[in-house]
Amino acid sequence: DGDGFPDNGDGTSGGGIGDGSEFDVNLPVNDPNYKTPCEESKISLSTADRFLTNLDIKTKMNDVLKAKINATNEWAVSVGKNSDGTYSVSNPQEGNVNNGTVPPIPSGNYVADGHTHSGDFGVPSAGDFYYMLQKSLTEPYFKTRYVYGNYFGSDEVYVLVIDNSEKVKQFLELYPLSANYDTTSHSFLVSSDLGQDFIRAKEFYTGGTYVNTGDDYTAESIGLAYVLQKFNTGVSLARMDANGNFKKIIVNEEQITIPGGNGTPKTGLNISKCQ
C-alpha cells in the first residue's frame, strides 16, 4: 500500500450544501479569516486539476502511471516547474511491491509527484502523507501528491494537497512522524492519537454508522480524511470523479440518523464532498 517514498510533491467551490460548511456549527464563522473546508482547499485542488491538463504532465505522468497501476512494483514520477512557466517531468522510476523512491525533478522547483500502489487501492497511506509533509519543509513549492490505484477493477486516483503550509509545520511539531507512524504497517501508529482516530473513523464506516452523498469509499480513505480534518493538518484528501476533477472528502463526527434505521440519532460520520 505504499510507504510514502521517504527520499523524495477549477475543482471546488466554497459555500452551500455539500461543501462541509453546514456542519461547522461550532466554528468561528464570524471570523473574517475563517474558511469552510471547501474554501480552504479551493486553490490547491484547482492547481491539482490544472496540472493534469498540462500536456507534458498528462502524457509523462498521468498516462504513464495509469498504465502501471496493476504492475507488480510501484512506479513514481516527479514534476518540476521552470522559471518560464513550463514543467519538467521525470522518467518513471520503478520501486518494489510496497514502496519506492520518487526520482529527482529534471529542472525547476519541485511542485508535484505521483506514484502507483501496485494494483492496490489508490488511497494514500500514512507514509504517503507524512513523507509528503516532510518533503514540503525543504521544497516549499511542493503541494501536490497523486496516488494511482485499483478500486475493484477500476482505476482510481487520489490526491493529497497542502492547503496551508503554516498548519503543516504546526502539525509536524505536535505530531512528529517518529511518534505517529508505523514503518512496518505503513499506517498511523495504533497507540497514537492519530492512529486511534483513524481506527475510530474506519470502524464507523465499516459498521455502517454513517450518512453520505452516495459515493463509495474505502474505510482507509474515510479514516485518512477524518484525521486530516480533525487534527488541523493543513492538508486535504480528494478523489478524482468521473469527469476527471478532484473532489475533497469531508468527514465529520456528529449525531446522525441512519436511513432505514429506527430513527434514533446516534454518533457517527457525516460524509460529504466539495462540489
Side-chain angles (χ1 to χ4, degrees), residues 101-157:
T101 300
V102 177
I105 54 172
S107 61
N109 291 311
Y110 197 113
V111 293
D113 63 32
H115 67 274
T116 62
H117 270 178
S118 307
D120 204 348
F121 296 130
V123 59
S125 67
D128 294 332
F129 162 69
Y130 257 116
Y131 290 126
M132 178 187 187
L133 267 55
Q134 289 200 317
K135 184 71 175 177
S136 74
L137 297 180
T138 57
E139 299 286 354
Y141 296 97
F142 173 44
K143 299 182 185 298
T144 312
R145 168 162 282 178
Y146 303 93
V147 186
Y148 296 74
N150 182 323
Y151 184 75
F152 299 107
S154 298
D155 294 349
E156 67 174 358
V157 186

Side-chain angles (χ1 to χ4, degrees), residues 57 61 77-81 87-90 105 109-113:
I57 298 175
M61 184 191 76
V77 171
S78 64
V79 179
K81 186 174 184 179
Y87 294 96
S88 68
V89 185
S90 74
I105 54 172
N109 291 311
Y110 197 113
V111 293
D113 63 32

Side-chain angles (χ1 to χ4, degrees), residues 32-259:
N33 297 317
Y34 170 74
K35 294 181 179 180
T36 68
C38 288
E39 289 171 339
E40 190 168 47
S41 61
K42 183 176 182 179
I43 293 175
S44 48
L45 283 179
S46 294
T47 300
D49 285 336
R50 189 176 67 251
F51 278 161
L52 297 190
T53 65
N54 175 272
L55 186 60
D56 280 339
I57 298 175
K58 179 184 181 300
T59 57
K60 295 179 182 179
M61 184 191 76
N62 194 55
D63 293 351
V64 166
L65 292 183
K66 278 192 171 183
K68 294 184 180 297
I69 283 174
N70 294 306
T72 301
N73 293 325
E74 296 192 0
W75 288 80
V77 171
S78 64
V79 179
K81 186 174 184 179
N82 300 312
S83 57
D84 62 1
T86 61
Y87 294 96
S88 68
V89 185
S90 74
N91 291 324
Q93 181 163 317
E94 186 174 11
N96 61 33
V97 175
N98 292 317
N99 57 60
T101 300
V102 177
I105 54 172
S107 61
N109 291 311
Y110 197 113
V111 293
D113 63 32
H115 67 274
T116 62
H117 270 178
S118 307
D120 204 348
F121 296 130
V123 59
S125 67
D128 294 332
F129 162 69
Y130 257 116
Y131 290 126
M132 178 187 187
L133 267 55
Q134 289 200 317
K135 184 71 175 177
S136 74
L137 297 180
T138 57
E139 299 286 354
Y141 296 97
F142 173 44
K143 299 182 185 298
T144 312
R145 168 162 282 178
Y146 303 93
V147 186
Y148 296 74
N150 182 323
Y151 184 75
F152 299 107
S154 298
D155 294 349
E156 67 174 358
V157 186
Y158 279 86
V159 69
L160 287 168
V161 293
I162 294 177
D163 304 319
N164 188 313
S165 297
E166 285 305 311
K167 286 185 178 181
V168 166
K169 293 175 183 176
Q170 293 167 7
F171 169 78
L172 287 175
E173 289 176 0
L174 292 171
Y175 303 98
L177 178 148
S178 58
N180 293 277
Y181 177 59
D182 187 330
T183 56
T184 301
S185 68
H186 301 166
S187 188
F188 296 110
L189 198 63
V190 171
S191 60
S192 69
D193 289 343
L194 275 69
Q196 287 296 299
D197 277 308
F198 181 68
I199 292 170
R200 178 178 176 82
K202 284 173 56 179
E203 289 178 344
F204 275 134
Y205 193 71
T206 56
T209 312
Y210 67 89
V211 292
N212 73 356
T213 54
D215 293 271
D216 289 326
Y217 299 103
T218 61
E220 286 74 19
S221 60
I222 296 304
L224 180 59
Y226 179 73
V227 167
L228 297 187
Q229 189 171 325
K230 178 173 181 178
F231 288 87
N232 204 25
T233 61
V235 179
S236 296
L237 175 68
R239 187 174 67 175
M240 183 182 286
D241 66 9
N243 296 318
N245 299 313
F246 286 104
K247 301 298 185 182
K248 178 176 178 176
I249 306 170
I250 300 170
V251 182
N252 288 279
E253 182 178 333
E254 58 185 55
Q255 291 296 299
I256 60 171
T257 303
I258 304 296

